[in-house]
């Protein structure tokens, strides 16, 4: 079995130009952990999440997946993957759900979901099809599988989640998956995510949905200006945070 | 085969004479083209099919056929007829220079009309409504707001059109005009050094285009300082 | 070479022109085929705009030019020529009834085809005094003479003779003055140093000797043009 | 009816040549355009320079000159390059090949800008969604990006094709037997310039109309699923 | 003086395609009236306002200005002005303020404001200049008069109001003048409008600012699906509406 935590980040730094957005963040997620990341706008939540699978190149730090360190080499100012094969393999095991879905508009719902397993993992077509239909069913959108994303009035995020799940990732990263949605759709997506948490999936979630975070998380991390300001169980962080800033933030949203 | 660029130096003054003809051709046809284009564009916008169909056909013909054909039609085609040769138009039509100007003007006016139309229609509907609610008449609206406004929008596309016209003017050489290309071909008839002379001519065209681009960039920058980016799609030409 | 490519212009009736099947025809073309037959080589006759002929030959787009091209000093710097296969002369052409002082055409508009002997003669003798206009093809020269844009035209006598006879304009236009530059000899151009020149010369001698040439000549002109 | 003095067939043959020339140049131009756009957007400085030089020069020089330079110059260049490798045979660049090269280069220069705009119009998220799945770069380009670029670029490319169609007339100057040259020959034989140039004009107009129909069909197809309903 | 109410609309209908947006709306505004028009999104408020000065051509109905009926002739499906002179004259007396300002970006603030009186009403330049400066001062933007609209960070709507006032209109129509504004700018514009109401101007205002509507209106009209569902004094409509729908709408926003 794996020799370390599913995902481990050590001292991640990120600088844009001369603006240091992440000032050293460490975090560990064991199998089955559901970690919520909170923080006010601009605190660096998205940047941190995007550093994990190198959508953003960190300036400093280490990334370990199942105890295996991602090979990084220094570039002009940031770190770059030195082994593209390793990175690709790792990305295939780490799912990422975007705030803005990023579905491919020229493919139907079903094609969007099948693209990864079929052409990246090169699984057999029949198997992929069945699994895709199973997943679309699970997120409750199976009847629209032949529509194109833009023809859907809501539910794009559920498709995006199905697309990510189709890769059978070991870890799921969510970047504010509900904040681009109309209020009535938020509940549906949170429902799907709650189901995933109940299945025991390992998840990192950036979100503004406090109630949801409190309910599903095994751990909550509060970021402030690129640093972990507070960290602990949901009851601890929401109930009796040590940090004044965290307290203020939480009382401002409830 | 080696290239011998000493011919370029020897004949450079003659190429410059051709360049001047080219510049004359372009400036005249661009100015006349713009004058013709404006009413054509306005008529084209009209919702009345009786008014808009003729400009439509005009634009379609001149944008849909090669300029080379248009030049030959004006120069050789028109002069085929006794009636034309006896008419008051003949003093103009017998001159290749004016034939080129006529063909170029008609051609560029068709493209320019489309650019104008695009610009006028690209003005946000709200700005037009702001004119209407003020009780402006149609004429006032065009004269005071829409046309000046369109001028800013038109700039990038219009700069392009000038460069396209510059290049298209090379076709004047096919009706005996000694523009830059015509001069180059005449020189080559003596020296038999097509590559050297054509390359030199190409370099001169390139230099002129770069100057035009540069000038328009400056004008645009000044405009955009307060207009924001207002670029619209550029109808292309051939 | 086992097969040779011969270029002609295709706009110089009756020496070379393109018929309504798109095929090159005319005196030059007939001579070309006759020579090829004598040389026993496979030939291809292609057309090329006049001012591209010598440049094209030089960059080996074809191997020989049989296009009523006069042998001149300037051309000899660029290419080699075979012996002459006919000889011509230049002559002015203008509307009937108008008279010209051919020594002094000041202020007149004179036309000729670009890159021809006629054009060069005009450039050498009339530059700055008359308006000179040069055309891509001889056909365009005629069109502008008929339209009245040109006062007078200088061109090779023989094709103009044919034009006067066949175009229906014989009633309106006529030669002015005598033909001159009679020493004008028409040859086959080949690349410098190409031994094709000797083969052409041999074949040329043969067709002149065995009557083939005469037959072709008679097809186009009632007098000898050699 | 129209009396074409027996030159009707010739003009039709010319139309076939014009169409072939346009289509071949289109293929060459599309490839050059994609390469040019990729080069301009790449991080490799020399590639950007080459692409900028290419588009600036080609767009600043008359198409007629490009055709002439390629026709007379390309053989020389090619042969001197080939002789570096010990190949001294004649390399043929006929009017057709020269036309395809010249028009393809021209089309490619303008298409570079169209494709560049289209590539930039694809939201960053579209790339990221593919990257996050662990999709290799090549696959991402061909399956995710290109189909979307195609849709955005189509109107611009369609426009360029109409321009290209008319530019084919220029190749008649180096002797390609296209509509224009056939018309010139007919004029030389019949002395009826007005008739034949007008017929030629309407043939080009016909080809333009056909192209416009095809382009709008392609546009409709490409935008399938991208608009609601 | 005028023989009828400043503005009277009778039974205005408007159909887009086969969608009947206005189903017969009548309304009367006497000099000095401030009428607020409320209604949920899509209820037809903008359409109604735009029908008044024929930015939108009504399908049926009558429009009277100071008792003078606007001459209309039937077109294919809508009514069109049959007397352009009359329409132009009427539009000059009816000001319209758009949600999206619609300033002319190629003219400075001052030129925008002067354009109407100078070139439409053909008033003398000196007089127009002085009045324009007075108005710009009044809306609090005089110091920026030589800037171009796009160089202004806020305040476009105040310029647009000044531009409308420069025509000295007898009636002012406002279509959600504050809904495209950042929160801090809303107050400024409402302040300007409050001033106009206090001056006794005749105004029709489509707005979502309930407090403002309640405060300044002499009458409130609540539209629902193209019909007047409720109408009366602010106290009546906000305090004890008859209609259930109106009640629900008002409670949903407060
Ligand atoms: N590509 C970039 N270039 C420059 N600065 C960036 C870039 N991406 C993010 N930033 C900056 O980094 C900081 C943190 O951004 P980030 O998106 O991580 O915040 P966040 O916590 O996700 O906020 P939000 O809740 O608004 O999504 C911000 O100040 C932002 O402006
Ligand atoms: N030009 C048009 N063509 C077709 N339908 C239109 C048009 N303008 C408006 N509609 C339709 O008419 C209905 C009423 O629109 P209107 O803009 O008047 O509503 P509103 O009450 O102003 O809403 P909002 O508060 O969103 O501005 C809507 O269903 C709208 O879709
Ligand atoms: Mg974020
Ligand atoms: Mg509205």
């Amino acid at each position: 079995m794996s020799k370390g935590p599913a995902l481990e980040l050590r001292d991640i730094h990120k600088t844009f130009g001369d603006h240091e957005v992440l000032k050293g963040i460490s975090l560990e997620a064991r199998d089955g952990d559901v970690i919520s990341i909170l923080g006010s706008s601009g605190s660096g939540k998205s940047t941190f999440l995007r550093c994990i699978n190198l959508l953003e190149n960190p300036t400093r730090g280490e990334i370990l997946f199942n105890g295996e360190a991602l090979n990084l080499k220094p570039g002009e100012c940031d770190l770059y993957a030195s082994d593209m094969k390793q990175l690709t393999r790792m990305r295939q095991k780490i799912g990422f759900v975007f705030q803005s879905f990023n579905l491919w508009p020229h493919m139907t719902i079903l094609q969007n979901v099948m693209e990864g397993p079929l052409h990246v993992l090169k699984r057999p077509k029949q198997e992929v099809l069945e699994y895709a239909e199973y997943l679309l069913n699970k997120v409750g959108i199976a009847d629209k599988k032949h529509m194109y994303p833009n023809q859907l009035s809501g539910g794009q995020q559920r498709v995006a989640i199905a697309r990510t799940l189709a890769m059978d990732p070991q870890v799921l990263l969510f970047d504010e998956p509900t904040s681009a949605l109309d209020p009535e759709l938020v509940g549906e997506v949170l429902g799907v995510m709650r189901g995933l948490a109940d299945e025991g999936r390992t998840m990192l979630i950036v979100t503004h949905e406090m109630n949801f975070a409190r309910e599903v998380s095994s751990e909550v991390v509060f970021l402030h200006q690129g640093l972990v300001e507070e960290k602990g169980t949901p009851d601890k962080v929401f109930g009796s945070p040590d940090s004044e800033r965290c307290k203020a933030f939480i009382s401002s949203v409830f | 085969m080696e290239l011998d660029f000493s011919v370029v130096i020897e004949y450079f003054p003659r190429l410059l004479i051709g360049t001047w003809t080219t510049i004359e051709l372009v400036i005249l046809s661009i100015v006349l083209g713009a004058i013709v284009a404006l009413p054509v564009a306005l008529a084209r916008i009209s919702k009345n099919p009786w008014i808009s169909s003729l400009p439509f056909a005009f634009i379609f013909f001149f944008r849909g056929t090669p300029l080379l054909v248009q030049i030959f039609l004006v120069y050789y085609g028109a002069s085929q007829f006794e009636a034309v040769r006896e008419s008051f138009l003949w003093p103009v039509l017998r001159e290749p220079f004016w034939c080129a100007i006529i063909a170029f003007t008609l051609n560029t006016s068709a493209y320019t009309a489309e650019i104008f139309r695009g610009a006028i229609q690209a003005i946000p509907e709200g700005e037009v409504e702001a004119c209407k609610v003020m009780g402006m008449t149609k004429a006032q609206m065009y004269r005071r707001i829409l046309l000046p406004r369109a001028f800013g929008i038109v700039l990038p596309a219009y700069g392009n059109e000038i460069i396209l016209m510059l290049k298209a003017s090379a076709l004047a050489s096919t009706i005996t005009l000694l523009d830059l290309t015509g001069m180059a071909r005449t020189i080559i008839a003596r020296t038999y050094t097509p590559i050297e002379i054509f390359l030199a001519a190409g370099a001169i065209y390139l230099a002129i285009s770069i100057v035009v681009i540069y000038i328009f960039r400056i004008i645009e920058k000044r405009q955009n300082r307060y207009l924001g980016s207002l670029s619209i799609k550029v109808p292309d030409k051939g | 070479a086992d097969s040779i490519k011969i270029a002609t212009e295709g706009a110089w009736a009756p020496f070379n022109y393109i018929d309504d099947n798109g095929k090159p025809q005319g005196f030059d073309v007939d001579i070309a085929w006759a020579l090829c037959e004598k040389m026993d080589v496979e030939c291809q006759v292609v057309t090329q705009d006049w001012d591209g002929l010598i440049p094209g030959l030089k960059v080996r787009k074809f191997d020989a030019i049989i296009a009523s091209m006069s042998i001149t000093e300037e051309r000899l710097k660029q290419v080699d020529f075979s012996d002459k296969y006919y000889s011509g002369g230049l002559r002015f052409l203008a509307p009937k009834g108008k008279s010209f002082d051919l020594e002094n055409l000041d202020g007149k508009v004179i036309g000729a085809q670009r890159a021809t002997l006629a054009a060069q003669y005009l450039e050498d003798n009339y530059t700055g005094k008359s308006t000179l206009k040069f055309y891509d093809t001889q056909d365009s020269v005629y069109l502008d003479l008929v339209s009245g844009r040109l006062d007078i035209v200088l061109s090779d006598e023989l094709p103009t003779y044919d034009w006067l006879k066949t175009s229906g304009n014989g009633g309106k236009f006529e030669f002015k003055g005598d033909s001159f530059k009679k020493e004008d000899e028409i040859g086959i151009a080949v690349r410098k140093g190409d031994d094709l020149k000797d083969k052409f010369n041999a074949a040329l001698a043969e067709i002149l000797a065995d009557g083939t040439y005469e037959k072709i000549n008679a097809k186009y002109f009632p007098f000898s043009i050699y | 009816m129209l009396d074409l003095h027996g030159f009707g067939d010739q003009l039709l043959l010319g139309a076939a040549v014009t169409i072939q020339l346009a289509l071949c140049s289109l293929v060459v131009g599309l490839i050059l355009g994609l390469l040019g756009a990729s080069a301009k957007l790449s991080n490799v400085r020399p590639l950007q320079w080459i692409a900028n030089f290419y588009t600036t020069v080609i767009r600043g020089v008359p198409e007629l000159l490009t055709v002439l330079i390629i026709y007379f110059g390309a053989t020389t260049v090619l042969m001197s390059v080939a002789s570096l490798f010990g190949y001294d045979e004649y390399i043929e660049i006929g009017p057709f090949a020269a036309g395809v090269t010249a028009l393809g280069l021209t089309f490619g220069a303008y298409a570079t800008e169209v494709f560049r705009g289209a590539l930039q119009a694809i939201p960053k998220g579209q790339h990221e969604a593919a990257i996050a799945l662990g999709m290799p770069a090549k696959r991402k380009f061909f399956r995710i990006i290109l189909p979307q670029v195609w849709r955005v670029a189509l109107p611009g490319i369609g426009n360029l094709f109409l321009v290209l169609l008319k530019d084919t007339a220029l190749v008649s100057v180096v002797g390609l037997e296209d509509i224009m040259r056939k018309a010139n020959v007919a004029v030389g034989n019949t002395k009826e310039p007005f008739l034949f140039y007008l017929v030629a004009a309407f043939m080009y107009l016909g080809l333009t109309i056909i192209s416009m129909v095809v382009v709008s069909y392609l546009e409709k197809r490409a935008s399938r699923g991208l608009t609601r309903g």
Side-chain angles (χ1 to χ4, degrees), chain C residues 65-82:
Chain C
I65 302 170
I66 306 186
S68 295
M69 188 172 276
S70 309
I71 305 169
T72 66
E73 291 283 304
E74 298 207 347
R75 286 183 185 137
L76 278 169
K77 285 184 206 147
Q78 309 290 330
V79 295
D80 281 352
F81 276 99
S82 70

Side-chain angles (χ1 to χ4, degrees), chain D residues 19 21 36 41-42 69 74 85 91 95 109 115 123 125 149 157 159 163 176 189 199 202 210-212 219-220 227 229:
Chain D
I19 293 169
L21 176 63
L41 294 176
S42 81
I69 292 172
F85 298 96
I91 299 169
F115 282 132
V149 164
I157 294 295
N159 257 341
V163 176
L176 186 73
N189 276 308
V199 167
F202 278 99
I210 293 170
S211 313
M212 285 166 65
E219 274 177 34
K220 223 172 257 157
T227 45

